[in-house]
Amino acid sequence: EEDSPVCLGAIVDGERRRLGCGHHLCASCLESMRAHSHGCCPVCRVEFVDCTEMYNRALSKWQSVSKAMAALGLSWSSDDLPRNLGKLSREAAALCLEAASEGLAAAQHEVGVCYSEGRGVEKDEREAVRWFRRAANQGHPWGQFSLGCAYAEGLGVEKDLGEVFRLFGLAANSGHTWASYNLGLIYDRGLGVERDEELALLWATRAAEGGLDHAQRALGWVDGKPPASERRGAAWA
């Protein structure tokens, strides 16, 4: 349950209004703000547009694609999606792109993956970055992480360690395990930040606690559990 940032009351289903920035208001608060010529989101101050109708259309299209995937026994993992889209009907594949175009962050990230890998579409790293950025700007953790990876490798965008650190931090704080692990590596190696072994271990441990096998192995965990005596310092990396 979410509270409206204006009246502080709970937003009930059917009264939720999604703004272009991604924040939500209740319908009565939105109407009141418009009546008093307040045209900015009360949270981020971005000029708002009521995207509820467009978002609902996008969600409906995304659900249609999901049903088509399920009917074929296909998964939605980032590794599988580009290949699986080729197995969908032309209509279902088009709905995926339409859902992304109409603002659904999950669809935007997956379209970015398609362009990044060149599967189902011609490989285009700049186009991949464009879609990752759209998802990231809506607070989508995978969008933030994928955009951060693009900045780290200079794929479709100039390398920028500051942006890598910022984007991995956003995703990690949302519970993204790979972002947490990579943030640990950044601190461990002092990549664009002051080296900090304690923070390196903290973020690697968060990734391990989130179930990331790679982090658990690096920390010497066995069967998903830490050893009796935790190793400290940079040895894990």
Side-chain angles (χ1 to χ4, degrees):
E1 191 173 272
E2 183 180 3
D3 292 339
S4 172
V6 178
C7 67
L8 303 182
I11 304 176
V12 298
D13 291 340
E15 292 296 310
R16 184 185 305 274
R17 295 295 180 266
R18 184 178 188 276
L19 306 182
C21 59
H23 293 115
H24 296 93
L25 298 175
C26 64
S28 59
C29 287
L30 180 59
E31 291 175 7
S32 176
M33 290 183 69
R34 282 177 165 167
H36 292 86
S37 300
H38 296 305
C40 294
C41 171
V43 178
C44 65
R45 311 309 299 173
V46 171
E47 185 175 355
F48 64 62
V49 177
D50 184 359
C51 294
T52 302
E53 183 178 348
M54 183 176 71
Y55 181 82
N56 287 338
R57 288 200 308 268
L59 183 60
S60 177
K61 292 172 181 177
W62 186 246
Q63 290 170 340
S64 295
V65 179
S66 296
K67 289 178 181 178
M69 293 287 285
L72 294 173
L74 304 176
S75 74
W76 275 113
S77 74
S78 292
D79 289 339
D80 292 339
L81 179 73
R83 180 174 60 255
N84 289 341
L85 282 178
K87 299 178 182 178
L88 293 175
S89 68
R90 187 171 298 178
E91 179 184 3
L95 286 174
C96 181
L97 181 57
E98 288 179 22
S101 298
E102 293 186 1
L104 199 65
Q108 290 169 347
H109 175 259
E110 299 302 349
V111 170
V113 171
C114 291
Y115 279 108
S116 177
E117 298 293 331
R119 297 178 185 172
V121 294
E122 184 176 350
K123 185 173 182 177
D124 188 330
E125 292 168 351
R126 289 184 179 276
E127 188 68 6
V129 164
R130 188 173 77 88
W131 286 106
F132 289 151
R133 192 182 307 280
R134 292 181 70 176
N137 286 344
Q138 294 198 69
H140 190 266
W142 267 107
Q144 293 164 343
F145 177 69
S146 296
L147 184 58
C149 289
Y151 274 109
E153 300 176 29
L155 298 176
V157 70
E158 291 291 328
K159 286 187 178 182
D160 188 331
L161 289 179
E163 276 297 277
V164 175
F165 179 75
R166 183 183 73 85
L167 290 161
F168 282 0
L170 289 172
N173 279 306
S174 294
H176 193 287
T177 54
W178 273 110
S180 297
Y181 181 72
N182 279 276
L183 196 58
L185 291 177
I186 288 174
Y187 277 116
D188 178 68
R189 299 172 184 177
L191 301 175
V193 298
E194 185 176 352
R195 191 168 183 269
D196 190 320
E197 292 184 2
E198 292 296 320
L199 284 175
L201 185 62
L202 181 150
W203 284 110
T205 301
R206 285 196 184 181
E209 291 172 344
L212 185 64
D213 289 343
H214 195 82
Q216 292 175 354
R217 291 195 301 269
L219 289 169
W221 289 26
V222 179
D223 295 329
K225 298 178 180 179
S229 177
E230 288 278 12
R231 289 186 295 167
R232 302 188 65 78
W236 64 271

